[in-house]
Amino acid sequence: MASFWGSREMNILVVAAHPDDEVLGCGATIARLAQEGHAVSILILGEGITSRYAHREDADVTSIAALHARARGVCAHLGARDVALAGLPDNRFDSVPLLEIVKIVEAHVGRVRPEVVFTQHGGDLNVDHECTYRAVLTATRPLSGCPVRQLYAFEVGSSTEWAFQQFRPVFHPNLFVDVTDTLDRKLTAMQMYEGEARSFPHPRSSEALRAQAVRWGAVAGLSAAEAFVLVREIR
Amino acid sequence: MASFWGSREMNILVVAAHPDDEVLGCGATIARLAQEGHAVSILILGEGITSRYAHREDADVTSIAALHARARGVCAHLGARDVALAGLPDNRFDSVPLLEIVKIVEAHVGRVRPEVVFTQHGGDLNVDHECTYRAVLTATRPLSGCPVRQLYAFEVGSSTEWAFQQFRPVFHPNLFVDVTDTLDRKLTAMQMYEGEARSFPHPRSSEALRAQAVRWGAVAGLSAAEAFVLVREIR
Amino acid sequence: MASFWGSREMNILVVAAHPDDEVLGCGATIARLAQEGHAVSILILGEGITSRYAHREDADVTSIAALHARARGVCAHLGARDVALAGLPDNRFDSVPLLEIVKIVEAHVGRVRPEVVFTQHGGDLNVDHECTYRAVLTATRPLSGCPVRQLYAFEVGSSTEWAFQQFRPVFHPNLFVDVTDTLDRKLTAMQMYEGEARSFPHPRSSEALRAQAVRWGAVAGLSAAEAFVLVREIR
Amino acid sequence: MASFWGSREMNILVVAAHPDDEVLGCGATIARLAQEGHAVSILILGEGITSRYAHREDADVTSIAALHARARGVCAHLGARDVALAGLPDNRFDSVPLLEIVKIVEAHVGRVRPEVVFTQHGGDLNVDHECTYRAVLTATRPLSGCPVRQLYAFEVGSSTEWAFQQFRPVFHPNLFVDVTDTLDRKLTAMQMYEGEARSFPHPRSSEALRAQAVRWGAVAGLSAAEAFVLVREIR
Amino acid sequence: MASFWGSREMNILVVAAHPDDEVLGCGATIARLAQEGHAVSILILGEGITSRYAHREDADVTSIAALHARARGVCAHLGARDVALAGLPDNRFDSVPLLEIVKIVEAHVGRVRPEVVFTQHGGDLNVDHECTYRAVLTATRPLSGCPVRQLYAFEVGSSTEWAFQQFRPVFHPNLFVDVTDTLDRKLTAMQMYEGEARSFPHPRSSEALRAQAVRWGAVAGLSAAEAFVLVREIR
Amino acid sequence: MASFWGSREMNILVVAAHPDDEVLGCGATIARLAQEGHAVSILILGEGITSRYAHREDADVTSIAALHARARGVCAHLGARDVALAGLPDNRFDSVPLLEIVKIVEAHVGRVRPEVVFTQHGGDLNVDHECTYRAVLTATRPLSGCPVRQLYAFEVGSSTEWAFQQFRPVFHPNLFVDVTDTLDRKLTAMQMYEGEARSFPHPRSSEALRAQAVRWGAVAGLSAAEAFVLVREIR
């Protein structure tokens, strides 16, 4: 499996809305990129899980801390360099002015100076994904001096497909990454997020994730693939 | 006119944003379903009419109570089993976090356990309709155990067509329900909502509503029809 | 009803695929434009009706001649200046290289030198409509010296709506023409094409055509309207 | 697994472009429908395989006859009532006027009088699929008296996904049929078409077809599903 | 260059989100319309520039006043009749209920009673543009008695194209206005907004704006053009 | 200007419909790729110019030979390795079964074994462009063993923009190639095709082509760019 991302070591940034979205969306690609020598940073915008409580403040501080510890464990497991957590309110990004989310991402882009960015798909059912997408598009707009050359959107099981193509944009992938060698690493990463894995046929179960990777593989002439939308590239 | 919804009695839920949207969107279909023996529940998320005042609190409590009484009268007139009113702020659903609307609908779905759900179309000009659509899509997502097998979106005169196809999704109906026998019942229901009916050529006038039903009928080889978008169905 | 097409007399060209499409698509608008003093020419590309026979040559020459005579009668009835018939094979435009259709339209545009062109919508179910649309788009492309400043697409009952939005482009009208005063003239024109009118609920029946006009009227705040898509305009 | 298609026995028609498309597109659904007592007829428009030869006439008559025998064997295996083969030139439907294909389908619809029709998706890469789709849409248009109440489009591995969403319409399924009990029957049917099955990761291989069914299942909360687009339904 | 907007003097309203959007979007068209004798009013909804500060209240009152003075100077330079500034929070329109923005625009439409309205394109990256678009669509909906006959959307450099077609609607212009004679006036207006002009290759630089006008001109057979989307027109 | 296509020398194939489309679409990118050491092959499917004659056989053999000589000169000028001409009938690709065009491209792909392919955009007004696109998509489908890893579509002045977004797919570019250093080479190549260059404001004139490159540059933060759509990529 030759490296298609070139021989130079690159800075790569993954911007996810919630802990586990980075795994569901591009966990196997992160592992492959790390193996190929690239430096992958992860930024998670939301705090995770508080939306399961009637009031946000009811969420157990210990549970949140444990979730964040798992995020760091997953980061190490995938071979990424670091993970940052920004703490936006779970499933309530629509209550935050978009401008604030933009500023968080801009600051992070300024620090990491990534050539490649992966982020949530904007047409998802989950409103946090939509806000994340729009914020990343804004924070990485192609001003002279912006380091970002490639921006990709990833899908997330139980959110992208459950939009049933009703929102804009629709997930029509045009990049298929061969993850034959790193798919298992993604599936074990998902199990590390205990609270988030589900039993089949839930789209986040191991069986469903494997079927999804095999299906995308077949679309691209590969044994297993993750699929992405190229939003823009500058060469 | 044979029943195409099968011989079993089904639970059916209509989720509307404002009092009268349930009539404009699927009043004649509700009447037909009730005649065929199905149990139709109606959930109206908003309080209605307060947006006509400079400040929401200026709205006359008596007027709101009268509006809600009319909603109950209309429910009985159409043969629906019951109507619930959730009281969200009129034409200000965008000031409520989506998650709260989702939780209202989820609770209602848990009580009614409908096999079929009808709701607002998401591409409407009215922002409450958009929020309702997204909340219903979320609250009825196809988790194992979710009772909902069919989800349909309806159009609402003076909101769906006045988006002029600028928002996503666009209303492209694929289900046409024969309402030859129940169209008149819809038109009288609309008159029961005195404050909401308008004089021709307003899209909510009797003449316009009849022309719309005749037009959809002609599209489908029927004398009169209501039109819907099937969002998803599981068989 | 003031004239919105300005006070200057303009040359206007209608390009239809079959005899009666010019009426179904813009018959009432033709009548209004003629009343307002504009010179309307009609070009009908196909010979009409031969697709109803197993072999094209079986079609009765007398029937075709009678159809063409009716086309001329309808032209006069609507107040148009002239009608030309090009004789392409009915419902078999896809067996003619597009280039040939383009050349027919180009020649006609050269003669009439219209500022405004109305033609079939390209996303129709009928393949002749699709070919006509593409040919007109090509023949009126905005080269310097091309007289055409406005190009509009019209819908045709039983073809535009029976595509059920499956083909590109979708009919999303953005021009609504007030035809309150000339709708009856359209309906009688349709009756002059005896063989083409149908009984309700066929979309070409008088009742369905009237409902369609009333429905578009309500969309636009008018008593009756014909609806069009502006493809391009140069000012 | 209750029958969602109602208790009445229905006539159902599958219109496919090539031998094996009926299996790839809806083989497991055919098997389920047959088990539930419905009468399924299959119409295959093309002759199959001749496009693999430099000149159509080079194709071995024996090979074609053997292919057709396999089509009949598959029909029996799935429990369908009958299969008809129309003999259009393989991968050259675009050289036949659409009107001729329409007339073939119309005649068949007249004989079978189906309430439900399944056919190829119109946005496929394969041009025969596109022609089939358009012909079926035309042949089943909702004239009064037309028996067809539901029209569905199916996807076909290595053609629908290999269009990469470039053609209109895009395959956005809204019906998911539970095929947990009949998926194996589909896979063995595919093996009966020896020449058409491929080794993994080809989209027509058993592994890829199973992954696709599991993936659609996860989308719909089922163990395995086939996915369809509802084009129109009249109730 | 003949006037295509007719000989009558018309009231025309431009609704922009921020000071300078009116220039970027339709500055040269405003200048041409003014030259042709029409009365152009400008409404700017936002206060401008405060989003550049960490907290809105940090913004220098003097800076804002200077910006507004420049807006008035630009208005005079283009020949528009007047400019009003509504003071919504810069780049935070999503924190204001849409209804409030609608009411601001409705009041202005009531005063100006425009036949033609130009406004921001709804699919822009900038969230204020999206809110403005939706508010104007609502405030000018075609109720009987509404004076607005034509509604157009304009693009704004560094926001429309930087959405990279990810949001709905996509900017597909269908009106091209010849601005050969007034393009320079637009470019000097942009320089009057000192803080907003940028150096090439920024889309708001003079070179980029000129290239854009020349490119749209070539699309339309003109030396220079501004491009618009017709949202709806009633004639 | 670093090479973003990696350090390995790659085989690259450009498939154009007519002599000059390869220049209009990606002439400056070809020149840059050649400078960076890649091997670029060009395949031109059509014979060129015969559509300008009433009958194809009227075209002057000498004129065609001269055109082909110019194609070879342009190839050398841009630094491409070779150019092949397939001789399909000009502006009449729709009279050739698609399968035949596919076989021509497949044979060429087999010989060149390109990793990257550039071809016409499928939503162009010109019907030859549409056929070319569909044929290339088919001929490069991702079967195991297919060498093609990246497929891009390019726009062609006076055909892509003159479709006015009416056909599917719409040209929404997501790759912007920096051609600051090779734009002039493209413009002189265009002048080498004497008969094809036009005077401003024609989209094929030097002034218009330069404005287009500057406009795309501004979109991408570059001084000049060519724009492409990534159809699919496999990594």
Side-chain angles (χ1 to χ4, degrees):
Chain A
M1 187 171 70
S3 169
F4 277 90
W5 261 286
S7 47
R8 295 172 306 106
E9 181 181 312
M10 290 189 299
N11 288 333
I12 293 169
L13 176 63
V14 175
V15 184
H18 313 106
D20 82 352
D21 284 342
E22 81 284 17
V23 178
L24 290 163
C26 58
T29 297
I30 291 173
R32 182 177 158 197
L33 288 166
Q35 281 183 5
E36 295 180 357
H38 301 294
V40 182
S41 289
I42 300 168
L43 170 63
I44 295 173
L45 293 171
E47 64 200 357
I49 75 169
T50 56
S51 68
R52 297 178 192 169
Y53 298 83
H55 301 284
R56 186 184 166 193
E57 49 276 18
D58 296 350
D60 184 350
V61 172
T62 318
S63 298
I64 296 182
L67 177 61
H68 290 194
R70 280 197 289 272
R72 287 188 292 273
V74 162
C75 170
H77 172 74
L78 295 175
R81 191 172 52 182
D82 50 48
V83 58
L85 296 119
L88 290 174
D90 185 49
N91 274 302
R92 288 184 177 90
F93 285 19
D94 58 339
S95 65
V96 179
L98 186 68
L99 183 62
E100 292 186 23
I101 312 179
V102 171
K103 288 182 176 178
I104 294 171
V105 180
E106 276 182 340
H108 215 78
V109 167
R111 272 194 295 276
V112 174
R113 297 201 60 79
E115 284 179 64
V116 182
V117 173
F118 293 88
T119 194
Q120 308 279 154
H121 171 64
D124 279 11
L125 183 59
N126 189 293
V127 79
D128 292 358
H129 299 185
E130 185 188 14
C131 295
T132 299
Y133 182 68
R134 195 160 189 144
V136 172
L137 228 75
T138 305
T140 65
R141 61 198 185 282
L143 287 162
S144 297
C146 178
V148 180
R149 313 303 285 181
Q150 296 173 315
L151 174 60
Y152 294 102
F154 53 69
E155 63 176 341
V156 163
S158 81
S159 182
T160 306
E161 74 282 63
W162 285 356
F164 289 92
Q165 289 89 37
Q166 298 299 298
F167 308 109
R168 176 93 186 168
V170 176
F171 189 73
H172 291 160
N174 48 20
L175 171 67
F176 301 88
V177 175
D178 188 342
V179 297
T180 307
D181 294 350
T182 55
L183 177 60
D184 286 339
R185 194 163 285 268
K186 169 183 185 162
L187 300 183
T188 51
M190 202 54 209
Q191 288 167 340
M192 292 169 74
Y193 276 122
E194 297 163 51
E196 302 298 327
R198 307 292 170 82
S199 64
F200 184 75
H202 195 286
R204 295 173 173 226
S205 64
S206 275
E207 296 89 332
L209 290 172
R210 186 177 297 280
Q212 187 177 15
V214 171
R215 171 63 185 147
W216 284 132
V219 168
L222 304 167
S223 296
E226 283 179 336
F228 302 93
V229 175
L230 173 65
V231 179
R232 76 175 115 79
E233 175 168 7
I234 296 163
R235 278 195 180 173
Chain B
M1 186 172 68
S3 169
F4 276 88
W5 260 286
S7 46
R8 294 172 307 105
E9 179 180 312
M10 290 190 298
N11 288 332
I12 293 168
L13 176 63
V14 175
V15 184
H18 313 106
D20 83 353
D21 284 342
E22 82 283 17
V23 178
L24 290 163
C26 59
T29 297
I30 291 173
R32 181 176 158 199
L33 288 166
Q35 279 182 5
E36 294 180 359
H38 301 294
V40 182
S41 289
I42 300 168
L43 170 64
I44 295 172
L45 292 171
E47 64 199 358
I49 74 169
T50 56
S51 67
R52 298 178 190 168
Y53 298 82
H55 301 285
R56 184 182 168 194
E57 47 277 17
D58 295 349
D60 183 350
V61 173
T62 318
S63 298
I64 296 183
L67 177 61
H68 290 193
R70 281 198 288 272
R72 287 187 293 272
V74 162
C75 170
H77 172 74
L78 295 175
R81 190 171 53 182
D82 50 49
V83 58
L85 295 119
L88 290 174
D90 185 48
N91 274 303
R92 287 182 178 92
F93 286 18
D94 59 339
S95 65
V96 179
L98 186 68
L99 184 62
E100 291 186 23
I101 312 180
V102 172
K103 287 182 176 179
I104 294 170
V105 180
E106 274 183 342
H108 215 78
V109 167
R111 272 195 294 276
V112 173
R113 298 199 61 77
E115 283 180 64
V116 182
V117 172
F118 293 89
T119 194
Q120 308 279 155
H121 172 63
D124 279 11
L125 183 59
N126 188 294
V127 79
D128 293 358
H129 298 186
E130 185 188 15
C131 295
T132 299
Y133 181 69
R134 195 159 189 143
V136 172
L137 227 75
T138 305
T140 65
R141 61 198 185 282
L143 288 162
S144 298
C146 178
V148 179
R149 314 302 286 181
Q150 296 172 315
L151 173 61
Y152 294 102
F154 52 70
E155 64 177 339
V156 162
S158 82
S159 181
T160 306
E161 75 280 64
W162 284 357
F164 288 92
Q165 290 89 36
Q166 299 299 297
F167 308 109
R168 175 89 187 173
V170 176
F171 190 73
H172 291 160
N174 47 20
L175 172 67
F176 301 88
V177 176
D178 187 342
V179 297
T180 307
D181 294 351
T182 55
L183 177 59
D184 286 340
R185 191 163 286 268
K186 170 183 185 162
L187 300 182
T188 51
M190 202 53 209
Q191 288 167 338
M192 293 168 73
Y193 277 122
E194 296 163 52
E196 302 298 327
R198 306 292 170 81
S199 63
F200 184 76
H202 195 285
R204 296 173 173 225
S205 64
S206 276
E207 296 88 332
L209 290 172
R210 186 177 295 279
Q212 188 177 14
V214 171
R215 172 62 185 146
W216 285 131
V219 167
L222 305 167
S223 297
E226 283 179 336
F228 303 92
V229 175
L230 174 65
V231 180
R232 75 175 117 78
E233 175 168 7
I234 296 164
R235 277 193 181 174
Chain C
M1 187 172 69
S3 169
F4 276 89
W5 261 287
S7 47
R8 295 171 307 104
E9 181 180 313
M10 291 190 298
N11 288 334
I12 293 169
L13 176 63
V14 175
V15 184
H18 313 106
D20 82 353
D21 284 342
E22 82 283 17
V23 179
L24 290 163
C26 57
T29 297
I30 291 174
R32 180 176 158 196
L33 289 165
Q35 280 182 5
E36 294 180 358
H38 302 294
V40 182
S41 289
I42 300 167
L43 170 62
I44 295 172
L45 292 171
E47 65 200 358
I49 75 169
T50 56
S51 67
R52 298 177 190 171
Y53 298 82
H55 302 284
R56 183 183 169 194
E57 50 276 17
D58 295 350
D60 185 350
V61 173
T62 319
S63 298
I64 296 182
L67 177 61
H68 291 193
R70 281 197 289 271
R72 286 188 294 273
V74 162
C75 170
H77 172 74
L78 296 175
R81 190 171 55 183
D82 50 50
V83 57
L85 296 118
L88 290 174
D90 184 49
N91 274 301
R92 287 183 179 90
F93 285 19
D94 59 339
S95 66
V96 179
L98 185 68
L99 184 62
E100 292 186 23
I101 311 179
V102 171
K103 288 182 175 177
I104 293 170
V105 180
E106 276 183 341
H108 215 77
V109 167
R111 272 195 295 275
V112 173
R113 297 199 61 77
E115 283 179 66
V116 182
V117 173
F118 293 89
T119 194
Q120 308 280 155
H121 172 63
D124 280 9
L125 183 59
N126 189 293
V127 80
D128 293 359
H129 297 186
E130 185 188 15
C131 295
T132 299
Y133 182 68
R134 194 161 189 141
V136 172
L137 228 75
T138 307
T140 65
R141 62 197 183 283
L143 287 161
S144 297
C146 178
V148 180
R149 314 301 286 181
Q150 295 172 315
L151 173 61
Y152 294 102
F154 53 70
E155 65 176 339
V156 162
S158 81
S159 181
T160 307
E161 75 281 64
W162 284 357
F164 288 92
Q165 289 90 35
Q166 298 300 298
F167 307 110
R168 176 88 188 171
V170 175
F171 189 73
H172 291 160
N174 47 19
L175 172 66
F176 301 87
V177 176
D178 187 341
V179 296
T180 307
D181 294 350
T182 55
L183 177 59
D184 286 339
R185 191 163 287 268
K186 170 184 185 161
L187 299 183
T188 51
M190 203 53 209
Q191 287 167 340
M192 292 169 74
Y193 276 123
E194 297 163 50
E196 302 299 327
R198 304 294 169 81
S199 63
F200 184 76
H202 195 287
R204 295 173 173 226
S205 63
S206 275
E207 294 89 334
L209 291 172
R210 187 177 294 279
Q212 188 177 16
V214 171
R215 171 62 185 146
W216 286 130
V219 168
L222 304 167
S223 296
E226 282 179 334
F228 302 92
V229 175
L230 173 66
V231 180
R232 76 174 117 76
E233 175 167 6
I234 296 164
R235 276 194 183 174
Chain D
M1 186 172 69
S3 169
F4 277 90
W5 260 287
S7 47
R8 295 172 306 105
E9 180 180 311
M10 290 191 297
N11 288 333
I12 292 169
L13 176 63
V14 175
V15 184
H18 313 106
D20 83 352
D21 284 341
E22 82 283 17
V23 178
L24 289 163
C26 58
T29 297
I30 291 174
R32 181 177 157 196
L33 288 166
Q35 280 182 5
E36 294 181 357
H38 301 294
V40 182
S41 289
I42 299 167
L43 170 63
I44 294 172
L45 291 172
E47 66 200 355
I49 76 170
T50 57
S51 68
R52 297 178 190 169
Y53 298 84
H55 301 285
R56 184 182 168 193
E57 48 276 19
D58 295 349
D60 185 350
V61 173
T62 318
S63 299
I64 295 183
L67 177 61
H68 290 193
R70 281 197 289 272
R72 286 187 294 273
V74 162
C75 170
H77 172 75
L78 296 175
R81 191 170 55 182
D82 51 48
V83 57
L85 296 118
L88 291 174
D90 185 49
N91 274 302
R92 287 182 177 92
F93 286 18
D94 59 338
S95 65
V96 179
L98 186 68
L99 183 63
E100 291 186 23
I101 311 179
V102 171
K103 287 182 175 178
I104 293 170
V105 180
E106 275 183 341
H108 215 77
V109 167
R111 271 194 297 276
V112 174
R113 298 200 59 78
E115 283 179 65
V116 182
V117 172
F118 292 89
T119 194
Q120 308 280 154
H121 172 62
D124 280 10
L125 183 59
N126 188 293
V127 79
D128 293 359
H129 297 185
E130 185 188 14
C131 295
T132 298
Y133 182 68
R134 195 161 189 141
V136 172
L137 226 75
T138 307
T140 65
R141 61 198 184 282
L143 286 162
S144 297
C146 177
V148 180
R149 314 299 287 181
Q150 295 172 316
L151 174 60
Y152 293 103
F154 53 70
E155 64 176 341
V156 162
S158 81
S159 181
T160 306
E161 75 280 64
W162 284 356
F164 289 92
Q165 290 89 36
Q166 299 299 298
F167 307 110
R168 177 90 187 169
V170 175
F171 189 73
H172 291 160
N174 47 19
L175 172 67
F176 301 88
V177 175
D178 187 341
V179 297
T180 307
D181 294 349
T182 55
L183 177 59
D184 286 338
R185 192 162 286 267
K186 170 182 184 163
L187 299 182
T188 52
M190 203 53 209
Q191 288 168 338
M192 293 169 73
Y193 276 123
E194 297 164 51
E196 302 298 327
R198 306 293 170 81
S199 62
F200 184 75
H202 195 287
R204 295 173 174 226
S205 63
S206 275
E207 295 88 335
L209 290 172
R210 187 177 295 279
Q212 188 177 16
V214 171
R215 170 64 185 145
W216 285 132
V219 168
L222 303 168
S223 296
E226 283 179 337
F228 302 92
V229 175
L230 173 65
V231 180
R232 76 174 115 79
E233 175 169 7
I234 296 163
R235 277 196 181 171
Chain E
M1 187 171 68
S3 170
F4 276 89
W5 261 286
S7 47
R8 294 173 305 106
E9 180 182 314
M10 290 190 298
N11 288 333
I12 293 170
L13 176 63
V14 175
V15 184
H18 313 105
D20 82 354
D21 284 341
E22 81 284 16
V23 178
L24 290 163
C26 58
T29 297
I30 291 174
R32 181 176 158 198
L33 288 166
Q35 281 182 3
E36 294 181 359
H38 302 293
V40 182
S41 290
I42 300 168
L43 169 64
I44 295 173
L45 293 171
E47 65 201 355
I49 74 167
T50 56
S51 67
R52 297 177 191 169
Y53 299 82
H55 302 284
R56 185 183 168 194
E57 48 275 20
D58 295 350
D60 183 350
V61 173
T62 318
S63 299
I64 296 182
L67 177 61
H68 290 194
R70 282 198 287 272
R72 286 188 294 273
V74 162
C75 169
H77 172 75
L78 296 175
R81 191 171 53 182
D82 50 50
V83 58
L85 296 119
L88 290 174
D90 185 49
N91 273 302
R92 288 183 177 90
F93 285 18
D94 58 339
S95 65
V96 179
L98 185 68
L99 182 63
E100 291 185 23
I101 311 179
V102 171
K103 287 182 176 178
I104 293 171
V105 181
E106 275 182 342
H108 215 78
V109 167
R111 271 194 296 276
V112 173
R113 298 199 60 77
E115 283 179 65
V116 182
V117 173
F118 293 89
T119 195
Q120 308 279 153
H121 172 63
D124 280 10
L125 183 59
N126 188 293
V127 80
D128 293 358
H129 298 186
E130 185 188 15
C131 296
T132 299
Y133 182 68
R134 195 160 188 142
V136 172
L137 227 75
T138 306
T140 65
R141 60 197 186 283
L143 287 162
S144 298
C146 178
V148 180
R149 314 301 287 182
Q150 295 172 315
L151 174 60
Y152 295 102
F154 53 69
E155 64 176 340
V156 162
S158 81
S159 181
T160 306
E161 75 281 64
W162 284 355
F164 289 92
Q165 290 87 37
Q166 299 299 298
F167 307 110
R168 176 88 187 174
V170 175
F171 189 73
H172 290 160
N174 47 20
L175 172 67
F176 302 88
V177 175
D178 188 341
V179 296
T180 307
D181 294 350
T182 55
L183 178 59
D184 286 339
R185 192 162 287 267
K186 170 184 184 161
L187 299 182
T188 51
M190 203 53 209
Q191 288 167 337
M192 293 169 73
Y193 276 122
E194 298 163 50
E196 302 297 327
R198 307 291 169 84
S199 63
F200 184 75
H202 195 286
R204 295 174 173 224
S205 63
S206 275
E207 296 88 333
L209 290 172
R210 187 178 294 281
Q212 187 176 15
V214 171
R215 171 62 185 146
W216 285 131
V219 168
L222 304 168
S223 297
E226 283 179 336
F228 303 92
V229 175
L230 173 66
V231 180
R232 75 175 116 77
E233 176 168 6
I234 296 163
R235 276 194 183 173
Chain F
M1 187 171 70
S3 168
F4 277 90
W5 261 286
S7 48
R8 294 171 307 105
E9 181 181 310
M10 290 190 298
N11 288 333
I12 293 170
L13 176 63
V14 175
V15 184
H18 313 106
D20 82 354
D21 284 342
E22 82 283 17
V23 178
L24 290 163
C26 58
T29 297
I30 291 173
R32 179 176 159 198
L33 289 166
Q35 280 182 5
E36 294 180 357
H38 301 294
V40 182
S41 289
I42 300 167
L43 169 63
I44 295 172
L45 292 171
E47 65 199 358
I49 75 171
T50 56
S51 67
R52 298 177 189 170
Y53 299 83
H55 302 283
R56 183 183 168 194
E57 49 275 18
D58 295 350
D60 184 349
V61 173
T62 317
S63 298
I64 296 182
L67 177 60
H68 291 193
R70 281 196 289 271
R72 286 187 295 272
V74 163
C75 171
H77 172 74
L78 295 175
R81 190 170 56 182
D82 51 48
V83 58
L85 296 118
L88 290 174
D90 184 50
N91 274 302
R92 287 182 177 92
F93 285 19
D94 59 338
S95 65
V96 179
L98 185 68
L99 183 62
E100 292 186 23
I101 312 179
V102 171
K103 288 181 175 178
I104 293 170
V105 180
E106 276 183 339
H108 215 78
V109 167
R111 272 195 296 275
V112 173
R113 298 199 60 76
E115 283 179 65
V116 182
V117 173
F118 292 89
T119 194
Q120 309 279 153
H121 173 62
D124 280 10
L125 183 60
N126 188 294
V127 80
D128 294 358
H129 297 184
E130 184 188 16
C131 295
T132 298
Y133 182 68
R134 195 161 189 141
V136 172
L137 227 74
T138 306
T140 65
R141 62 199 184 281
L143 287 162
S144 297
C146 177
V148 180
R149 313 302 286 180
Q150 295 172 315
L151 174 60
Y152 294 103
F154 52 69
E155 64 176 338
V156 162
S158 81
S159 182
T160 306
E161 75 281 64
W162 285 357
F164 289 91
Q165 290 89 37
Q166 300 299 298
F167 307 110
R168 177 87 187 171
V170 175
F171 189 73
H172 291 159
N174 47 19
L175 172 67
F176 301 86
V177 176
D178 186 342
V179 297
T180 306
D181 294 350
T182 55
L183 177 60
D184 285 339
R185 192 162 286 267
K186 170 183 185 161
L187 299 183
T188 52
M190 202 54 209
Q191 288 167 339
M192 293 169 74
Y193 277 122
E194 298 162 50
E196 303 297 328
R198 307 292 170 81
S199 63
F200 184 75
H202 194 285
R204 295 173 174 227
S205 64
S206 275
E207 295 89 332
L209 290 171
R210 187 177 296 278
Q212 188 176 16
V214 172
R215 170 65 185 144
W216 285 131
V219 167
L222 304 167
S223 296
E226 283 179 335
F228 302 92
V229 175
L230 172 66
V231 180
R232 77 174 114 79
E233 175 168 6
I234 296 164
R235 278 197 181 171

